[in-house]
Amino acid sequence: MVGARWANFWENLRSSYWFIPSLMTAGSIGLASGLLILDKHIDVSSHKGWSLLYTGGPDGARTLLSTVASSMITVAGVVFSITIVALAMASSQFGPRL
């Protein structure tokens, strides 16, 4: 009886809309915490084999992040514009009651 109750609870939890996004959020928080701890304990400059990692410094990282952020804003603007165009075309085809 208890096993069936847990199976029913698990099925309800797994089929909910927010299950996967909440797992991804919890995983990203855990990964970020783990990487911050790892970053405190490992000195990358002392390891010669880690030259493939980013070694540009704070100014280069700031430039990289600003480039990524501006491109994401551009993509969001294009998606919003395409959505507005699609809605305008749909409303013009179906009349004023849409």
Side-chain angles (χ1 to χ4, degrees):
M1 187 71 164
V2 176
R5 194 177 299 167
W6 279 108
N8 189 22
F9 173 74
W10 175 250
E11 185 60 33
N12 287 337
L13 182 68
R14 194 173 57 96
S15 64
S16 71
Y17 180 71
W18 288 103
F19 180 66
I20 301 273
S22 61
L23 278 181
M24 293 172 71
T25 302
S28 64
I29 290 171
L31 184 65
S33 299
L35 288 175
L36 285 172
I37 291 170
L38 185 69
D39 188 40
K40 284 183 182 178
H41 292 296
I42 293 178
D43 185 23
V44 177
S45 62
S46 65
H47 298 292
K48 302 213 184 247
W50 292 29
S51 62
L52 294 176
L53 296 176
Y54 181 74
T55 58
D59 292 329
R62 190 175 299 118
T63 304
L64 180 68
L65 286 175
S66 67
T67 303
V68 169
S70 64
S71 66
M72 288 178 68
I73 290 173
T74 302
V75 168
V78 169
V79 168
F80 182 73
S81 299
I82 290 172
T83 304
I84 295 298
V85 167
L87 289 174
M89 291 181 71
S91 68
S92 69
Q93 288 181 357
F94 288 113
R97 289 189 178 180
L98 179 66

